[in-house]
mmCIF file of all heavy atoms in Angstrom:
data_model
loop_
_atom_site.group_PDB
_atom_site.id
_atom_site.type_symbol
_atom_site.label_atom_id
_atom_site.label_comp_id
_atom_site.label_asym_id
_atom_site.label_seq_id
_atom_site.Cartn_x
_atom_site.Cartn_y
_atom_site.Cartn_z
ATOM 1 N N PRO A 4 7.604 -31.207 16.498
ATOM 2 C CA PRO A 4 7.192 -32.380 17.266
ATOM 3 C C PRO A 4 7.630 -32.273 18.725
ATOM 4 O O PRO A 4 8.598 -31.578 19.043
ATOM 5 C CB PRO A 4 7.914 -33.542 16.560
ATOM 6 C CG PRO A 4 8.295 -33.019 15.216
ATOM 7 C CD PRO A 4 8.528 -31.552 15.403
ATOM 8 N N SER A 13 16.131 -32.952 13.499
ATOM 9 C CA SER A 13 16.937 -31.746 13.267
ATOM 10 C C SER A 13 17.429 -31.613 11.840
ATOM 11 O O SER A 13 17.716 -30.506 11.378
ATOM 12 C CB SER A 13 18.131 -31.724 14.240
ATOM 13 O OG SER A 13 18.915 -32.881 14.104
ATOM 14 N N GLY A 29 -2.404 -9.598 12.474
ATOM 15 C CA GLY A 29 -3.332 -10.693 12.276
ATOM 16 C C GLY A 29 -2.608 -11.978 11.931
ATOM 17 O O GLY A 29 -1.729 -12.429 12.662
ATOM 18 N N ASP A 70 -10.616 -25.780 10.879
ATOM 19 C CA ASP A 70 -11.508 -26.228 11.947
ATOM 20 C C ASP A 70 -10.781 -27.124 12.944
ATOM 21 O O ASP A 70 -11.108 -27.138 14.134
ATOM 22 C CB ASP A 70 -12.702 -26.996 11.356
ATOM 23 C CG ASP A 70 -13.645 -26.090 10.578
ATOM 24 O OD1 ASP A 70 -13.624 -24.865 10.828
ATOM 25 O OD2 ASP A 70 -14.391 -26.602 9.721
ATOM 26 N N LEU A 83 23.348 -14.129 -0.292
ATOM 27 C CA LEU A 83 24.590 -14.778 0.105
ATOM 28 C C LEU A 83 25.749 -13.884 -0.295
ATOM 29 O O LEU A 83 25.810 -13.411 -1.432
ATOM 30 C CB LEU A 83 24.720 -16.143 -0.568
ATOM 31 C CG LEU A 83 23.568 -17.136 -0.356
ATOM 32 C CD1 LEU A 83 23.845 -18.426 -1.127
ATOM 33 C CD2 LEU A 83 23.345 -17.420 1.111
ATOM 34 N N ASP A 92 31.650 -11.651 -4.113
ATOM 35 C CA ASP A 92 30.511 -12.012 -4.950
ATOM 36 C C ASP A 92 29.282 -12.085 -4.059
ATOM 37 O O ASP A 92 29.379 -12.155 -2.822
ATOM 38 C CB ASP A 92 30.743 -13.363 -5.643
ATOM 39 C CG ASP A 92 29.698 -13.641 -6.720
ATOM 40 O OD1 ASP A 92 29.291 -12.683 -7.409
ATOM 41 O OD2 ASP A 92 29.274 -14.809 -6.871
ATOM 42 N N TYR A 154 3.325 -37.911 14.578
ATOM 43 C CA TYR A 154 2.016 -38.237 15.153
ATOM 44 C C TYR A 154 2.134 -38.262 16.673
ATOM 45 O O TYR A 154 3.012 -38.942 17.230
ATOM 46 C CB TYR A 154 1.529 -39.595 14.651
ATOM 47 C CG TYR A 154 0.274 -40.091 15.332
ATOM 48 C CD1 TYR A 154 -0.929 -39.400 15.206
ATOM 49 C CD2 TYR A 154 0.297 -41.251 16.106
ATOM 50 C CE1 TYR A 154 -2.081 -39.844 15.829
ATOM 51 C CE2 TYR A 154 -0.861 -41.713 16.736
ATOM 52 C CZ TYR A 154 -2.046 -41.006 16.588
ATOM 53 O OH TYR A 154 -3.183 -41.454 17.213
ATOM 54 N N TRP A 162 -0.022 -40.138 30.164
ATOM 55 C CA TRP A 162 0.957 -40.786 29.290
ATOM 56 C C TRP A 162 0.693 -40.429 27.833
ATOM 57 O O TRP A 162 -0.452 -40.376 27.395
ATOM 58 C CB TRP A 162 0.891 -42.308 29.445
ATOM 59 C CG TRP A 162 1.361 -42.817 30.768
ATOM 60 C CD1 TRP A 162 0.601 -43.007 31.891
ATOM 61 C CD2 TRP A 162 2.683 -43.215 31.111
ATOM 62 N NE1 TRP A 162 1.379 -43.489 32.923
ATOM 63 C CE2 TRP A 162 2.663 -43.634 32.470
ATOM 64 C CE3 TRP A 162 3.890 -43.263 30.405
ATOM 65 C CZ2 TRP A 162 3.795 -44.083 33.133
ATOM 66 C CZ3 TRP A 162 5.023 -43.725 31.063
ATOM 67 C CH2 TRP A 162 4.974 -44.130 32.406
ATOM 68 N N LEU A 171 16.035 -35.285 4.654
ATOM 69 C CA LEU A 171 16.659 -34.128 4.002
ATOM 70 C C LEU A 171 17.432 -34.607 2.784
ATOM 71 O O LEU A 171 18.195 -35.576 2.858
ATOM 72 C CB LEU A 171 17.613 -33.419 4.964
ATOM 73 C CG LEU A 171 18.491 -32.309 4.366
ATOM 74 C CD1 LEU A 171 17.640 -31.122 3.924
ATOM 75 C CD2 LEU A 171 19.552 -31.855 5.362
ATOM 76 N N THR A 180 31.708 -28.926 -5.020
ATOM 77 C CA THR A 180 31.768 -29.240 -3.593
ATOM 78 C C THR A 180 32.703 -30.394 -3.261
ATOM 79 O O THR A 180 33.112 -30.554 -2.106
ATOM 80 C CB THR A 180 30.368 -29.616 -3.065
ATOM 81 O OG1 THR A 180 29.924 -30.811 -3.734
ATOM 82 C CG2 THR A 180 29.361 -28.497 -3.317
ATOM 83 N N TYR A 197 5.677 -39.042 30.334
ATOM 84 C CA TYR A 197 4.770 -39.148 31.476
ATOM 85 C C TYR A 197 4.723 -37.814 32.206
ATOM 86 O O TYR A 197 5.770 -37.233 32.537
ATOM 87 C CB TYR A 197 5.260 -40.247 32.426
ATOM 88 C CG TYR A 197 4.487 -40.361 33.709
ATOM 89 C CD1 TYR A 197 3.131 -40.680 33.708
ATOM 90 C CD2 TYR A 197 5.121 -40.150 34.942
ATOM 91 C CE1 TYR A 197 2.421 -40.789 34.901
ATOM 92 C CE2 TYR A 197 4.424 -40.269 36.137
ATOM 93 C CZ TYR A 197 3.066 -40.583 36.106
ATOM 94 O OH TYR A 197 2.370 -40.683 37.280
ATOM 95 N N PRO A 199 3.113 -36.556 35.556
ATOM 96 C CA PRO A 199 2.331 -36.814 36.779
ATOM 97 C C PRO A 199 1.541 -35.597 37.233
ATOM 98 O O PRO A 199 0.490 -35.729 37.850
ATOM 99 C CB PRO A 199 3.406 -37.198 37.792
ATOM 100 C CG PRO A 199 4.671 -36.580 37.273
ATOM 101 C CD PRO A 199 4.556 -36.623 35.781
ATOM 102 N N ARG A 214 23.048 -41.075 7.566
ATOM 103 C CA ARG A 214 23.554 -39.998 6.712
ATOM 104 C C ARG A 214 24.410 -40.593 5.594
ATOM 105 O O ARG A 214 25.227 -41.481 5.835
ATOM 106 C CB ARG A 214 24.391 -39.022 7.538
ATOM 107 C CG ARG A 214 25.181 -37.982 6.730
ATOM 108 C CD ARG A 214 25.959 -37.074 7.684
ATOM 109 N NE ARG A 214 26.799 -36.125 6.985
ATOM 110 C CZ ARG A 214 28.130 -36.213 6.910
ATOM 111 N NH1 ARG A 214 28.772 -37.225 7.502
ATOM 112 N NH2 ARG A 214 28.827 -35.302 6.274
ATOM 113 N N PHE A 235 7.878 -23.607 33.715
ATOM 114 C CA PHE A 235 7.488 -22.526 34.619
ATOM 115 C C PHE A 235 6.382 -21.687 33.994
ATOM 116 O O PHE A 235 6.278 -21.591 32.790
ATOM 117 C CB PHE A 235 8.705 -21.628 34.914
ATOM 118 C CG PHE A 235 9.754 -22.347 35.733
ATOM 119 C CD1 PHE A 235 10.797 -23.016 35.111
ATOM 120 C CD2 PHE A 235 9.681 -22.338 37.113
ATOM 121 C CE1 PHE A 235 11.761 -23.663 35.859
ATOM 122 C CE2 PHE A 235 10.646 -22.975 37.880
ATOM 123 C CZ PHE A 235 11.690 -23.655 37.240
#
Side-chain angles (χ1 to χ4, degrees):
S13 57
D70 291 338
L83 305 178
D92 191 37
Y154 172 64
W162 292 90
L171 172 67
T180 63
Y197 174 62
R214 170 180 176 253
F235 292 93

